[in-house]
Every structure is written in C-alpha cells, then in structure tokens.
Amino acid sequence: MSEEKSEFKVFEEKVKKEFKNAWENIEDKDIVFSFADEYKTFLDNSKTERLCANEIIKYAKENNYSNLEDIIKEGKSLLPGTKVYVANKGKSVIMAVIGKENVSKGLNIVGSHIDSPRIDLKPNPLYEDSNLALMKTHYYGGIRKYQWATIPLSMHGVIITKDNKTVNVSFGEDESEPVFYISDLLPHLAKDQAKKTLAEGITGEDLNLIVGSIPYGDKDTKEKIKLNVLRIFNEKYGIIEEDFLSAEIEIVPAGKARDVGIDRGLILGYGHDDRICTFSALKGLLEIANPVKTAMTVFVDKEEVGSQGNTGAQSKFVESVISELINLQEDFNQLKVRRAIANTQVLSADVGAGLDPTYPEVSEKRNSAIIGNGVQLVKYTGSRGKGGCNDANAEFVGEVRKIFNDNNITWQIGELGKVDQGGGGTIAYILANDGAEVVDCGVPVLGMHSPYELISKADLFMTYKAYKAFMNR
Ligand SMILES: [Zn+2]
C-alpha cells in the first residue's frame, strides 16, 4: 500500500530543485557500458588532434557523409537530410546534417576541441648526455609538469622530409613497442627540489625525453648513442636529423583507456578533455536524419593554447563552411551569413571541473558539478569576477534547460571552482562574439589536464543524449 504524500511533501517536490545521480535515471546499464566501450576505442585511436580528426572522418565516411568539397566541385545541391563533412588541414573537422529550413535561417551547433594538453618535441630535439639519448621538449597547454615524469610515454606525429614526403610517426601504444620516459629525482637526493613549489619542482626545461641508450659506430664516431637513435629513425621512417625541423611530434601518455572502480562506472584515459565531448557530439549527430534547422558539429584544434591559428576556433573555418552551405542553397551575400550566425544556437562542448571529494575546498558545493550527476551546464567560466567569460543569456539557458528536461536528460549546473580560486575558458565566446547564443555544456572531469583524467560513464551517456536532443530540432 502506498503512503499518501503530505501536502508539504508535494509542495516541496514542486518547488525545490534537487540534482540527481544520472545512474538512477538509466534503466539499461548495458547500453551505457557498450557506449562507453566504443568511446574507449575512439579515445585510444585519437591520441593527437590529427589522429582524432582522422577518426572522426572515418566515422563520417562509414555513415555516408559526403565531402563538401566534392559536392561543390560536382555542383550537387544540398537537400534536407544531406550529410556533409569538411576537413581543415587534418586538424579540425565540421560535420552537418542539412535541415528542412535553409542554412541562412540559422543552425544548431555543438562545438568541441580535439587538441589536448601534451608535450611537443622542439624543432631540434635530439642530443646525447651521460650515455643516454634525449629529446628537448616544449609542453603544450596547461599541464602540471611534475605529473608527466616517470610514466610511460608514447610518440605520435608527422615529419615532412626534405623531399616533401609526409611520414607518420607512431611509437609506444602497442605493448610490443618501446615507450619513452621523463626522469625525476630519487627522494634520497631531492632535498633541494622538495623545498620548491609543485609548480617549480620540475620545470619546462626539465621535461627531457629519454629515447635511447645503445651506441652505434666505431672509435672515431662522436655521440654514438644519438647516432644509433638517428639510425633507427632512418631505417624505420627514412628520415634524417634535419627533418625534425619540419615536424609535429607529440608526446602523450602511452596505453589505453581503462575502467575504474570495481563496479566499472568510471573511465581513466588521456585526453577526455575534450575528446569525450567530441565523441558525444559525433555520436549524437550520426543519429540525426531530418532536423528542422541544420545540425552541425564543429571539432577544432588549438583550444588549449588560445584557439588561434588556421585550425583553431578563432579561424574563419566555421564561417567559411556556413558560407559555402548558404551559397549551395540560395543567392549568396555576406549579410545572410551574419544573419545565419546571429540566429544560431551553440553548445560549447567542453569538459568542466568535477567536485573532488579530496579537495572540496577549491569548489563551492552548491554550484559545482558532481561526478555522476549528468551533463553539466556552465553559464559562465572566466576568472576574477567572470573575466574573459562568455556569460550565456538567461533566455538561452532556459531554452536549453527545457530541451534537457523534455528529453529526460539528467543535467546539473557547474561552475569552475570557488570565486577567485582560479578559472579558465573555452571556445564559447568566439561564436558568441559573432552573435550566436552560446552556453558551455559538457562532462565533469576529475584530474583535468593530468596524464590520465577520470570521468563517469553515466555523465558521458547523458552528454551524448543532451547533444543529440539539442541538435535534433
Ligand atoms: Zn577543454
């Protein structure tokens, strides 16, 4: 027999907001687990922005998306439901499903970034010291440097040879392959280092990568170990030392994403920021067939260093693609592009800081995302009084909230730490500057920007559902 609720209980449930655990809103956990398995494979195959872009294009082709450049060349028309993708210099990708309304009426966009914090090789990296061959590096994005020492590291990237050939380099993901290593001091001799701050204990110039130790040559050979490393690179890839000058080689944590916890509810992996939002947006779009407005996903590079350059969100890539789409549908003029963007709604799909129960003092509990409470909406980011933030308009946040509620999506509100504790930003402000409505929305993460970040499978699943519902209108 069910007990009747008191009038106070009924009223309380009506007016109070309680954020709930997303797992309790998931009937079939197996669907979430298999979705998470596919995500782990995506993450393992996407260790750099180039590899991630390749992976996205692979999905696009498998799902019958056409290359927009071919459509333009062949003079084909864009009909409602037409699926297109565009790649930009191998480092950013846009995909879209054309809506029933013309693109000039505005779009629904989910935009994420596919670069992650890492360590890059310097242009002249290789040297020998104390029977070791090492490489000089320059870190990329906001890393805590001490976290990157004494862990297995892999190497991925491209080298352009003196004959203009592109060589793809990859070491260290397969367990049969060697990995690389950045050393740290032993505690016995770390008296002086231990007095330094965490930020200064290992400096940027200390992040030297150990890459070899066996000599090659005879008594007249100088730097035999360095020569042996060059010999192996030359045999494997046909490259010479000067080729490192025209290369982009990235050092990232080696190995695969893994389940965490005996209940397997969490995933540890490199580059959840922001490939988890990327995967969620990609999977959401692939299930959209006939939206009213054109549904678009934007996957960009360089967010971790400020979004500049011709592959970052500040480039004209998005605007150019929207212009091309309008030009394929109607007589083109620039005003139509401006109007389209002003009538566009965007989820800036980026991860946010989850509340860490071990370090609650940096967060304000009522306004922090909790791991497992679903996708988080972040009205504003920024630092020191919302400095540099995109503060989403209340009207738009209201609209997004309604979409999520109508689609049974477990969502929560998130803020990047306590007031004046620190801060950060995303790509949100960039399309907002052009007039679009933009709000940050993504997966809460623990250990953000560390070699292995932690997320909840329930949050991943709710984020995918949220992005899909947002674009499928
Ligand atoms: Zn990010």
Side-chain angles (χ1 to χ4, degrees), residues 156-448:
H156 303 276
V158 296
I159 299 179
I160 312 302
T161 68
K162 65 177 191 320
D163 309 317
N164 261 332
K165 274 199 209 105
T166 301
V167 179
N168 289 301
V169 173
S170 178
F171 278 107
E173 294 306 336
D174 193 281
E175 276 179 19
S176 65
E177 291 173 348
V179 293
F180 306 95
Y181 185 83
I182 292 169
S183 63
D184 192 5
L185 277 173
L186 58 170
H188 320 66
L189 298 179
K191 185 166 75 72
D192 294 337
Q193 187 201 38
K195 287 181 196 147
K196 295 180 184 173
T197 63
L198 271 180
E200 291 160 350
I202 291 182
T203 66
E205 290 295 351
D206 292 340
L207 296 173
N208 298 320
L209 192 72
I210 295 174
V211 297
S213 60
I214 299 177
Y216 175 71
D218 60 20
K219 63 177 176 25
D220 298 325
T221 312
K222 282 185 208 150
E223 299 186 316
K224 290 181 190 174
I225 296 162
K226 172 176 169 173
L227 189 67
N228 195 38
V229 169
L230 285 172
R231 178 187 66 81
I232 295 166
F233 267 107
N234 186 263
E235 278 175 10
K236 197 167 158 73
Y237 297 114
I239 58 167
I240 58 173
E241 187 174 18
E242 193 184 291
D243 294 336
F244 285 109
L245 292 164
S246 49
E248 287 173 6
I249 301 186
E250 305 177 12
I251 309 304
V252 298
K256 292 179 158 55
R258 303 276 296 268
D259 287 349
V260 171
I262 51 174
D263 55 6
R264 294 180 170 261
L266 307 162
I267 303 173
L268 146 174
Y270 164 67
H272 285 315
D273 179 4
D274 183 30
R275 292 166 191 146
I276 190 164
C277 296
T278 298
F279 182 76
S280 303
L282 173 65
K283 289 291 284 182
L285 187 74
L286 292 178
E287 290 172 8
I288 293 172
N290 271 304
V292 178
K293 285 200 189 306
T294 293
M296 180 179 274
T297 52
V298 173
F299 306 117
V300 288
D301 179 30
K302 295 287 182 285
E303 192 276 341
E304 298 294 356
V305 292
S307 296
Q308 297 92 340
N310 56 18
T311 57
Q314 293 197 52
S315 74
K316 296 280 178 260
F317 181 40
V318 177
E319 190 185 317
S320 298
V321 172
I322 291 174
S323 303
E324 295 284 6
L325 296 177
I326 290 174
N327 189 43
L328 285 167
Q329 285 188 321
E330 51 189 283
D331 290 337
F332 180 83
N333 74 54
Q334 198 58 38
L335 193 57
K336 289 182 180 175
V337 181
R338 298 258 63 84
R339 285 177 180 161
I341 295 175
N343 285 308
T344 287
Q345 297 188 333
V346 184
L347 293 184
S348 164
D350 210 342
V351 300
L355 182 127
D356 188 331
T358 305
Y359 304 101
E361 64 279 7
V362 302
S363 301
E364 187 268 290
K365 218 167 182 174
R366 293 187 56 78
N367 288 282
S368 291
I370 312 272
I371 298 295
N373 272 2
V375 61
Q376 70 164 329
L377 264 180
V378 183
K379 189 173 181 295
Y380 50 82
T381 55
S383 52
R384 296 174 307 282
K386 302 190 180 180
C389 79
N390 166 65
D391 200 340
N393 294 319
E395 292 85 347
F396 180 50
V397 177
E399 222 177 313
V400 172
R401 182 185 128 200
K402 185 167 184 325
I403 295 166
F404 291 176
N405 286 339
D406 289 350
N407 286 278
N408 190 27
I409 288 152
T410 310
W411 60 274
Q412 56 181 325
I413 210 78
E415 198 184 29
L416 189 52
K418 266 186 186 167
V419 176
D420 289 341
Q421 181 70 39
T426 64
I427 62 170
Y429 71 94
I430 298 165
L431 274 171
N433 284 353
D434 285 336
E437 295 286 2
V438 189
V439 66
D440 280 302
C441 175
V443 179
V445 174
L446 292 194
M448 198 196 292

